[in-house]
Amino acid sequence: MARTDFSQTDCDVLIVGAGPAGLTLAIDMARRGVSALLIEKRATPALASKGKGIQPRSLEVFHNLGVIDNVMAEGRPYPRLRFHEAGSVPSDFDMMAIKEPTRAVPYPNTIMLPQWALENILRARLAALGGRVQFGTSLVWLEPRADHVRVTVEEADGTRIVTAKYVVGADGGHSTVRQLSGIALIGDSPNLDGMIVADVMVDGLDRDFWHFWKSQAGRAVGLCPLTATEHFQLTASISPEEQPDLTLHALNALLEEAEVDPAVHFQHVDWVSVFRPNIRMAETFRKDRVFIVGDAAHVHPSAGAQGMNTSVQDAFNLGWKLAAVLGGAEAALLDTFEEERFPVAADVLERSGKLYRDGVARGSTSMRRGDDEQQLLLNYRGTSLCAGEGSDTLQPGDRMPDGMVTDGSGMERRLFDVMSGPHATLLCAGVPSVTAGNGTRIVLGDADEFGVTGYISIRPDMYVGSISPHS
């Protein structure tokens, strides 16, 4: 029955879309005491692998959010790749070199975890902080005003009005928030092969490798064993004009076409989708009191595990800034979200586009990945929140490396543990301790370990804000 009385809800931040980006932002808002409402148009959580690669920088974000132990317990490094060719011995290689953790980089390897499993972990963390996802709720209209945004949402039993000081669209490539805000999406849909992606149960195939075949007609077929489940993720290339049959019978026919061992076959399909490559970015990430993050702001090809990770880091960059402005900081701080994230997204978009194009054209050799994809080297050097000068190894705007420090009680701790939470941190590297306000944590560290002698101001998102020499 439709509601006849339009109830009005007030919140500081309305987050639209409960994927990894929306959940990351909701967790950050909850632990900062910000009133936030997270809505999702789906009636229930999605059970799809989708983006399955978690890059080292995102693992550091998850450390800060308090979910790293769960992520590492359920995820695992990518398996070796095995390429099968008819009449030949299969060829195996590692997609990326497995690195040992160091004090500075405790999470050096890309971890595989199906997106549904990651979302489960993030929802549990949000619930522990007193938040929740309001499923079955769609944004249908928004109206920005001088000091808030008036939003209409639709639920199963009618519509209601929500007033929020800020709205954040984390609602994917077809973002309703972006469209209602009049933000254009710029880019192209290259005339390249698309892809069938499915979560399947498979008989007759070992789980020690990510298996690939190529049919005589040139169709590439891959089966990747998914951690945290008994499923494999199927990928199969399709031509730009092809309208594939997605039935179980048709998907098994793809294996026959690629001359896969007849003992290998699909028992059933739990999720299936068709992916067409898009390389697009919004003309702006903000319009007045409305922001867009993740796929709502930049649509990536599925190569290099870049899209979901960039989305998480968009949200992590925006969260502390929204909280600061809601707490009384200058509103101009919010301008730095686009200043910092727009060039990062453009760079990542270019890289993932190249990886996808190379994958279509070159096959197996293009599957190798390195430091560029792991996002530890991304930085905000030269932007307006940077101050002071660093060294050859650490500059304002850089990702802050981990290391051992001494806290105010004289206890030695990991810097990542000290930084975890909604606060900023001041590292006194080889210099005397000082006092600081606004809940900033003060720690002492060794100048040689961090490559700087001076006071290192570390933002809540674990990037260096400023470096001041000791005078």
Side-chain angles (χ1 to χ4, degrees):
M1 178 181 296
R3 289 177 177 163
T4 55
D5 61 321
F6 290 82
S7 60
Q8 181 167 305
T9 301
D10 295 323
C11 62
D12 289 328
V13 180
L14 173 67
I15 306 167
V16 184
L23 286 164
T24 294
L25 183 58
I27 291 168
D28 208 15
M29 295 295 91
R31 68 179 183 167
R32 295 176 186 279
V34 173
S35 169
L37 176 63
L38 174 58
I39 65 173
E40 168 57 52
K41 67 180 180 181
R42 294 172 301 180
T44 58
L47 295 175
S49 58
K50 294 185 180 179
K52 62 185 182 295
I54 305 178
Q55 299 291 3
R57 180 55 187 172
S58 295
L59 294 174
E60 295 178 354
V61 172
F62 294 145
H63 185 123
N64 193 283
L65 295 178
V67 297
I68 188 61
D69 289 344
N70 303 81
V71 170
M72 297 302 288
E74 294 195 29
R76 66 174 176 83
Y78 274 66
R80 298 197 82 197
L81 277 60
R82 169 161 285 184
F83 287 86
H84 303 263
E85 294 185 34
S88 302
V89 176
S91 57
D92 304 338
F93 68 84
D94 292 315
M95 184 166 63
M96 59 199 82
I98 301 298
K99 303 175 184 177
E100 290 298 319
T102 65
R103 278 168 62 135
V105 184
Y107 310 111
N109 299 306
T110 305
I111 296 298
M112 180 194 295
L113 187 65
Q115 187 169 315
W116 65 262
L118 174 61
E119 290 178 5
N120 283 349
I121 292 170
L122 295 175
R123 278 196 304 273
R125 175 60 173 154
L126 179 60
L129 292 168
R132 69 182 181 92
V133 180
Q134 188 166 310
F135 285 100
T137 305
S138 300
L139 174 77
V140 295
W141 189 249
L142 61 80
E143 181 184 349
R145 299 189 176 183
D147 59 354
H148 68 276
V149 185
R150 182 179 172 89
V151 174
T152 304
V153 299
E154 186 172 63
E155 301 167 316
D157 57 349
T159 60
R160 65 185 172 113
I161 304 300
V162 176
T163 60
K165 293 178 182 175
Y166 296 97
V167 172
V168 180
D171 50 343
H174 300 288
S175 171
T176 301
V177 173
R178 185 189 66 236
Q179 293 178 41
L180 290 176
S181 299
I183 299 174
L185 195 61
I186 300 170
D188 69 343
S189 298
N191 189 36
L192 297 172
D193 282 358
M195 191 178 297
I196 298 170
V197 184
D199 293 345
V200 294
M201 292 291 289
V202 181
D203 272 343
L205 189 64
D206 70 83
R207 299 181 62 87
D208 298 327
F209 294 92
W210 184 351
H211 300 269
F212 288 90
W213 299 264
K214 201 163 190 177
S215 73
Q216 292 185 357
R219 188 190 307 277
V221 175
L223 283 170
C224 180
L226 293 169
T227 187
T229 176
E230 295 181 353
H231 291 81
F232 283 74
Q233 185 186 72
L234 163 71
T235 55
S237 61
I238 55 175
S239 68
E241 301 80 19
E242 189 173 352
Q243 299 299 319
D245 183 345
L246 302 179
T247 62
L248 177 62
H249 175 77
L251 296 181
N252 270 309
L254 296 177
L255 300 181
E256 296 177 20
E257 178 188 317
E259 300 182 63
V260 178
D261 186 330
V264 179
H265 66 278
F266 302 141
Q267 294 179 345
H268 57 84
V269 181
D270 290 287
W271 167 78
V272 62
S273 183
V274 173
F275 169 82
R276 305 285 185 185
N278 284 287
I279 304 174
R280 299 177 183 272
M281 192 161 80
E283 61 181 349
T284 180
F285 292 177
R286 178 190 183 186
K287 192 165 185 180
D288 301 319
R289 290 178 170 265
V290 178
F291 295 82
I292 52 175
V293 298
D295 287 351
H298 36 81
V299 183
H300 298 251
S302 58
Q306 299 297 289
M308 186 270 287
N309 290 275
T310 305
S311 301
V312 165
Q313 292 164 59
D314 283 350
F316 198 55
N317 180 286
L318 180 60
W320 71 273
K321 296 173 181 178
L322 281 172
V325 171
L326 288 164
E330 292 291 331
L333 177 62
L334 295 176
D335 296 335
T336 68
F337 168 67
E338 180 170 297
E339 178 192 5
E340 293 179 345
R341 294 305 299 172
F342 197 95
V344 168
D347 179 71
V348 171
L349 195 66
E350 181 179 0
R351 177 175 295 110
S352 58
K354 183 178 186 302
L355 289 171
Y356 190 86
R357 287 186 173 96
D358 287 350
V360 171
R362 294 164 50 202
S364 64
T365 58
S366 67
M367 294 292 290
R368 297 190 187 276
R369 302 288 183 259
D371 293 343
D372 286 343
E373 287 75 48
Q374 296 191 324
Q375 302 194 347
L376 293 173
L377 302 177
L378 297 177
N379 64 77
Y380 305 132
R381 291 183 182 182
T383 55
S384 59
L385 294 183
C386 295
E389 296 183 3
S391 65
D392 292 340
T393 57
L394 190 66
Q395 293 282 336
D398 285 355
R399 158 201 173 267
M400 187 65 206
D402 199 6
M404 298 306 297
V405 297
T406 303
D407 65 16
S409 67
M411 180 181 296
E412 191 174 46
R413 300 178 61 190
R414 285 181 62 187
L415 179 57
F416 273 19
D417 290 338
V418 175
M419 290 192 294
S420 292
H423 53 272
T425 305
L426 182 65
L427 170 59
C428 308
V431 294
S433 180
V434 295
T435 58
N438 301 319
T440 299
R441 302 278 177 87
I442 310 297
V443 291
L444 299 174
D446 183 75
D448 290 338
E449 177 167 9
F450 295 102
V452 170
T453 300
Y455 298 100
I456 305 171
S457 173
I458 307 167
R459 303 168 7 166
D461 60 353
M462 304 188 297
Y463 279 88
V464 177
S466 64
I467 299 177
S468 303
H470 176 54
S471 57

